[in-house]
Amino acid sequence: MKICIYGSGAIGGYLGVRLHQAGAEVSLVARGAHLAAMRENGVTLLMGEEKTVVHPRCTDNPAELGPQDYVIIALKAHSVPGVVPAMQPLLGDDTAVVTAVNGIPYWYFHGTGGEFDGRTLETVDPGAVQWKGLGPQRAIGCVVYPATEVVEPGVIQHVYGDKFSLGEPDGSKSERVVALSKAMEAGGLRAPVLDRIRDEIWLKLWGNLCFNPISALTHGTLEGICGDPDTRAVAKAMMLEAKDIGDKLGVHFRVDVERRINGAAAVGAHKTSMLQDLERGRPMEIDPLLSVVQEMGRMVGVPTPTIDVVLALVKQRGENAGCYSRPQPAAAPASAPEVVAAQ
């Protein structure tokens, strides 16, 4: 089984080590000092008192690798459209693309039937670059739950979690998704195959869409945001607006709002990824976590007044910090039913 992990930072590197241990032929695409360290010293994974070092193939040139059985995208979601051309040499006739990214994926409306079938989302896939260049028929959904960190180039610290929920857009237990699940489980990961992967995507997004921007605006931790009645009320209002959108799209939320907020509070004094990016001067994932919810709300006719206000504020906060640039309007139409075959 040939697996390329495109974006081999904290999560991608963790996955790469585990899959390599399971016997897969793993290649890691990375860059900079992290790539140099992995090439020279291997990839080091720290888990509690355990230290594991493996030596998969590492490169910044996907053209060296050739077609893969699976390409696992483990980049920040807003970075993916820009690398679609570079990914083309990895895509053979039967290559699956696994979207281990935050937020709503490019393929969300593939095969849904009804009014929005084949619809692309400008906020996450400007100009339908991913839809046309990767193809929705290749997609396998993946919801990432572990927390990991690159503590120094080539060294990944596992913080908690081992679950990567997988699912075909059509809900089937296809041969390819079952094979991937088994490979991940052989590496010590939990990789359940779900028949409603969109529900799982929304469950994680439900928290990310409110806690991330609120934390970036207030510099508060999850514990602080959920424990303060005022910021908790803002988060709840955003989540209820998002639930109305999800309900219109047939999403099933298996927990209620209060339980979801309490679950976030239980994490404790944790800084969200968006706040960490802001503090470190890195690009913030605003559009895949928040702008897309606003876009989907407009699609289904659900007003999003609280989301609109928070989104406007966090966009300006990100711009002022040099951590966010507003996407330029694309010339392509919002719907792109024709899929360009991989070269």
Side-chain angles (χ1 to χ4, degrees), residues 6-8 29 72-81 83 87 100-102 285:
Y6 205 111
S8 301
V29 175
I72 300 177
I73 302 175
L75 296 165
K76 290 290 184 72
H78 56 259
S79 303
V80 180
V83 300
M87 294 175 66
V101 297
N102 283 327
E285 281 189 301

Side-chain angles (χ1 to χ4, degrees), residues 3-343:
I3 301 176
C4 174
I5 300 178
Y6 205 111
S8 301
I11 288 295
Y14 171 56
L15 260 175
V17 171
R18 290 309 210 178
L19 287 166
H20 182 86
Q21 288 181 304
E25 184 181 339
V26 176
S27 301
L28 307 183
V29 175
R31 62 183 181 179
H34 186 55
L35 171 61
M38 292 193 296
R39 278 174 161 168
E40 183 173 352
N41 305 313
V43 187
T44 299
L45 175 63
L46 306 176
M47 295 187 66
E49 301 299 318
E50 183 182 348
K51 177 180 177 180
T52 302
V53 181
V54 301
H55 296 269
R57 185 171 184 177
C58 301
T59 184
D60 58 0
N61 181 12
E64 297 177 353
L65 305 176
Q68 305 288 305
D69 297 313
Y70 300 90
V71 176
I72 300 177
I73 302 175
L75 296 165
K76 290 290 184 72
H78 56 259
S79 303
V80 180
V83 300
V84 168
M87 294 175 66
Q88 296 307 303
L90 303 171
L91 305 179
D93 290 343
D94 298 317
T95 303
V97 172
V98 184
T99 51
V101 297
N102 283 327
I104 300 292
Y106 77 91
W107 52 263
Y108 188 86
F109 288 110
H110 172 57
T112 55
E115 179 182 359
F116 302 115
D117 189 19
R119 178 78 172 255
T120 62
L121 293 158
E122 191 66 18
T123 47
V124 294
D125 190 18
V129 169
Q130 296 175 76
W131 186 282
K132 292 185 288 186
L134 301 178
Q137 81 283 356
R138 296 187 187 278
I140 293 175
C142 179
V143 181
V144 176
Y145 286 102
T148 55
E149 183 180 358
V150 177
V151 292
E152 63 181 86
V155 181
I156 296 160
Q157 176 73 60
H158 175 266
V159 181
Y160 64 81
D162 60 2
K163 183 179 177 183
F164 294 82
S165 297
L166 302 174
E168 289 279 5
D170 66 1
S172 66
K173 297 289 195 299
S174 68
E175 182 177 337
R176 66 180 189 175
V177 75
V178 170
L180 178 61
S181 173
K182 289 180 178 178
M184 294 173 74
E185 289 173 351
L189 303 171
R190 289 187 296 151
V193 177
L194 307 181
D195 57 7
R196 292 180 60 90
I197 189 64
R198 292 175 182 83
D199 291 353
E200 198 79 359
I201 289 169
W202 271 92
L203 185 63
K204 185 177 181 185
L205 176 64
W206 211 16
N208 282 341
L209 72 91
C210 58
F211 299 130
N212 273 274
I214 293 172
S215 70
L217 293 168
T218 65
H219 287 227
T221 64
L222 288 176
E223 183 179 59
I225 293 167
C226 298
D228 179 270
D230 295 328
T231 48
R232 184 184 180 102
V234 174
K236 182 176 180 179
M238 295 174 73
M239 292 173 75
L240 289 174
E241 291 171 9
K243 184 177 186 302
D244 286 345
I245 296 167
D247 288 344
K248 289 270 190 177
L249 294 170
V251 176
H252 170 67
F253 293 83
R254 67 173 186 267
V255 300
D256 63 24
V257 172
E258 294 294 341
R259 182 178 171 188
R260 183 68 177 86
I261 295 174
N262 290 339
V267 176
H270 172 71
K271 293 182 179 181
T272 69
S273 60
M274 191 178 288
L275 175 55
Q276 292 180 45
D277 288 341
L278 177 64
E279 290 180 340
R280 298 173 187 178
R282 301 185 304 209
M284 296 161 64
E285 281 189 301
I286 294 173
D287 294 321
L289 300 183
L290 197 54
S291 301
V292 68
V293 180
Q294 182 190 66
E295 180 180 2
M296 295 172 92
R298 291 171 177 170
M299 285 171 54
V300 298
V302 171
T304 54
T306 314
I307 288 173
D308 294 348
V309 170
V310 172
L311 176 57
L313 294 174
V314 79
K315 279 183 174 180
Q316 189 168 117
R317 181 70 187 92
E319 285 179 319
N320 290 341
C323 297
Y324 175 74
S325 299
R326 296 173 192 258
Q328 297 301 309
S335 183
E338 182 179 351
V339 177
V340 177
Q343 300 300 311

